[in-house]
Amino acid sequence: MTVRNTQPHVIYQGNGSTTQWDIPFPFLNKENISAFLIDEKDVKTALLSNFEIDEENKIFIYPQSDIDVLPLPAQQRLLLQRKTPLAQETKLLAQQTFDPHILEHGYDKAMMIAQE
């Protein structure tokens, strides 16, 4: 992966019908995506349920189609942001076969953390 997008968040305006929202920034896994609803008074509330993330297509789905929650109304906004864990999980060993993907993953993660 290459980290080209420098913004680790995006805000979408509700319209009463949209239920699928693009995630335009790179992320390592869906657990790194946080979502918040922002009301007309700019009060931010964490969105903890009734959504799903399609990692392959980089789509945030809210609300899920199988529940009784209406799409985001025009008075509300949706904030999606990346929060990458501050941990170094790569261990390189002497005499190990070199895999450039391991290094690239580490560099990508470091860049995401720096952007946040």
Side-chain angles (χ1 to χ4, degrees):
M1 166 183 4
T2 301
V3 181
R4 292 187 179 136
N5 188 330
T6 60
Q7 291 297 320
H9 65 275
V10 64
I11 298 177
Y12 291 108
Q13 186 70 44
N15 61 11
S17 63
T18 300
T19 60
Q20 295 191 4
W21 314 84
D22 289 332
I23 304 172
F25 47 82
F27 57 95
L28 298 176
N29 59 57
K30 65 183 180 179
E31 286 76 26
N32 298 157
I33 303 297
S34 298
F36 298 88
L37 297 179
I38 304 172
D39 68 15
E40 61 276 356
K41 295 179 183 176
D42 285 334
V43 175
K44 190 165 73 167
T45 305
L47 189 57
L48 303 174
S49 62
N50 303 329
F51 69 87
E52 66 182 276
I53 296 173
D54 177 345
E55 284 185 85
E56 184 177 333
N57 296 305
K58 296 180 71 174
I59 301 284
F60 185 87
I61 301 164
Y62 175 80
Q64 292 172 303
S65 60
D66 59 345
I67 59 168
D68 276 344
V69 174
L70 296 174
L72 199 62
Q75 304 89 332
Q76 288 190 325
R77 292 170 286 159
L78 174 67
L79 164 63
L80 301 177
Q81 71 181 34
R82 180 186 68 224
K83 185 65 178 163
T84 307
L86 302 176
Q88 199 294 89
E89 299 154 348
T90 302
K91 183 174 182 177
L92 301 174
L93 303 172
Q95 306 295 321
Q96 175 180 347
T97 303
F98 178 74
D99 183 354
H101 296 291
I102 292 172
L103 291 179
E104 184 176 5
H105 176 81
Y107 295 146
D108 290 345
K109 183 175 180 179
M111 180 55 66
M112 289 179 201
I113 290 169
Q115 290 174 347
E116 293 163 14

